[in-house]
Amino acid sequence: MPTRILLEGRPGAGKTTALRRLAALLPTHAATGFTTEEIRQSGARVGFALETLAGRREVLAHVDLPGPPRVGKYGVDLGVMERLALPSLRPAATEEGAGRLVLIDELGRMELACTAFRDAVDALFVAEVDVVATVHAHRDSFTDALKRRADIEVVQLTPANRDVLPGELAARLQ
């Protein structure tokens, strides 16, 4: 049975940091997927970049992007999901991807605005692959449905456990 984990935490809890540390603890090329990170100018958050574990990076959302869609003050470039996120997920959901590990940061409003991404995530959670994904603690119909599934473990990520959790997860996944 594949391991399927949702790391749930509030903003600033360290979800992205924990997922990046987990990736660093795993053997090279053991995982596929992506992380996101804030883009800051003069100390203010102005957007988010998406970076695949293979090192490809683009701006996903920014205050200067027109959208649609718009999530809060950010315009979202759904093309980034098509160009970077989806190619890093789709091979793992096929038979040749069996036994792989997929890391997703995150299942958030910006990412889930892409219908093809939601479909790819659905496919991953029924494939024979291990999945670790980060999710916000807030309510969302898509992630709430995942959290209720018996085959998915929801792990609370907090500032108190974010430093030890990546090592514990790496040991479970190897």
Side-chain angles (χ1 to χ4, degrees):
M1 176 90 170
T3 301
R4 297 176 177 141
I5 298 172
L6 295 178
L7 294 179
E8 180 183 60
R10 300 187 55 75
K15 296 181 298 292
T16 299
T17 300
L19 204 67
R20 285 186 174 161
R21 286 182 181 158
L22 172 59
L25 292 169
L26 297 169
T28 305
H29 303 296
T32 187
F34 66 89
T35 62
T36 57
E37 85 176 296
E38 294 179 349
I39 299 170
R40 293 194 166 268
Q41 285 181 332
S42 303
R45 184 172 66 196
V46 295
F48 295 88
L50 184 145
E51 184 173 356
T52 67
L53 296 183
R56 293 185 62 206
R57 178 186 172 98
E58 288 190 43
V59 174
L60 171 63
H62 199 277
V63 293
D64 293 337
L65 287 176
R70 291 198 66 80
V71 175
K73 64 183 178 180
Y74 307 104
V76 180
D77 181 352
L78 295 180
V80 171
M81 297 303 295
E82 297 279 345
R83 289 187 302 275
L84 298 184
L86 291 176
S88 72
L89 304 182
R90 283 194 177 125
T94 64
E95 281 187 32
E96 68 252 14
R100 301 268 330 245
L101 169 63
V102 179
L103 303 178
I104 303 171
D105 176 44
E106 71 186 273
L107 300 178
R109 287 179 36 208
M110 292 177 193
E111 297 84 1
L112 294 172
C114 178
T115 302
F117 175 68
R118 286 194 313 268
D119 294 343
V121 169
D122 280 335
L124 281 174
F125 278 99
V126 296
E128 290 298 312
V129 297
D130 295 327
V131 180
V132 178
T134 64
V135 294
H136 276 284
H138 66 74
R139 299 196 50 84
D140 174 86
S141 60
F142 185 87
T143 58
D144 287 350
L146 290 174
K147 291 173 190 178
R148 286 190 298 270
R149 287 181 38 176
D151 63 333
I152 296 176
E153 177 183 358
V154 179
V155 176
Q156 298 301 316
L157 183 84
T158 66
N161 71 0
R162 71 178 168 207
D163 292 330
V164 298
L165 195 56
E168 292 172 356
L169 291 175
R172 282 179 59 184
L173 292 164
Q174 289 186 17

